[in-house]
């Protein structure tokens, strides 16, 4: 009988992995995991638009394949964490079974949450434009509706 322990396997749930920022993020996760001798399994849907309409059954079904009990931990990126199938099949089981879960926007007990302070960064940017470049008129455009980082 082997006493060898099982490898650490991290699951990553994301979308549009070919996007520059998401590719950089997932590459960083994979490189760090490799250094630690861990394995990474990535679950990806290709188009953010399918997430908004939630009509593309083929793409969303990838998240039905995830058995969180096979993973040492899960990372759920901000773009997919609000999809009901991800909440039901990944986030809730992780929280129920005490499987480490990292998210980027979701506030939940037992969940490691990475949040970025865009407000402070934006304040510094505006201060710089006014003070250093003597700009008197600022025109701003909002981003995605109902997105806390955009409004």
């Amino acid at each position: 009988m082997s006493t060898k322990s099982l490898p650490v396997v991290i699951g990553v749930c994301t979308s549009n992995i070919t996007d520059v920022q998401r590719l950089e993020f997932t590459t960083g996760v994979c490189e760090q995991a490799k250094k630690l001798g861990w394995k990474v399994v990535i679950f990806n849907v290709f188009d953010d638009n399918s997430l908004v309409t939630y009509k593309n059954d083929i793409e969303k079904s990838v998240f039905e394949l995830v058995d969180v009990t096979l993973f040492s931990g899960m990372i759920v990126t901000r773009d997919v964490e609000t999809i009901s199938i991800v909440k039901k099949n990944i986030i809730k089981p992780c929280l129920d079974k005490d499987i480490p879960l990292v998210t980027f926007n979701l506030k939940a007990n037992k969940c490691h949450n990475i949040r970025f302070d865009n407000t402070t960064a934006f304040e510094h940017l505006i201060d710089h434009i006014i003070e250093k470049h003597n700009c008197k008129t600022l025109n701003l455009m909002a981003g995605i509706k109902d997105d806390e980082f955009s409004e």
Side-chain angles (χ1 to χ4, degrees):
M1 186 161 122
S2 174
T3 59
K4 187 176 177 183
S5 63
L6 294 174
V8 174
V9 181
I10 304 298
V12 178
C13 299
T14 191
S15 74
N16 198 12
I17 200 169
T18 57
D19 172 78
V20 174
Q21 288 181 324
R22 289 192 192 102
L23 183 59
E24 184 178 321
F25 167 76
T26 52
T27 300
V29 169
C30 291
E31 287 173 354
Q32 186 61 33
K34 185 177 180 179
K35 288 178 189 175
L36 296 169
W38 298 358
K39 306 295 182 196
V40 177
V41 177
I42 299 172
F43 299 90
N44 176 65
V45 291
F46 293 102
D47 185 5
D48 283 340
N49 293 331
S50 67
L51 303 178
V52 173
T53 61
Y54 201 56
K55 291 181 181 176
N56 191 331
D57 290 338
I58 294 170
E59 282 204 10
K60 72 179 181 184
S61 68
V62 71
F63 297 121
E64 293 175 332
L65 302 174
V66 180
D67 178 355
V68 298
T69 63
L70 300 175
F71 294 91
S72 308
M74 296 293 297
I75 300 171
V76 179
T77 61
R78 183 173 174 265
D79 47 315
V80 297
E81 68 190 17
T82 59
I83 299 172
S84 61
I85 197 141
V86 173
K87 288 180 180 178
K88 177 184 166 202
N89 287 14
I90 299 167
I91 294 171
K92 186 177 182 329
C94 281
L95 296 175
D96 291 347
K97 296 176 183 359
D98 291 325
I99 296 167
L101 174 66
V102 176
T103 65
F104 290 84
N105 201 34
L106 185 70
K107 296 176 189 172
N109 290 335
K110 302 190 293 182
C111 177
H112 303 279
N113 183 260
I114 299 172
R115 296 183 56 85
F116 300 97
D117 184 3
N118 291 335
T119 303
T120 301
F122 192 71
E123 287 173 356
H124 287 292
L125 175 65
I126 297 300
D127 286 346
H128 173 82
I129 291 170
I130 293 169
E131 294 169 11
K132 300 292 183 193
H133 299 282
N134 216 15
C135 185
K136 304 290 185 217
T137 303
L138 299 174
N139 297 309
L140 301 175
M141 184 183 307
I144 302 166
K145 183 170 176 46
D146 297 327
D147 180 271
E148 72 175 288
F149 299 112
S150 297
E151 292 189 339

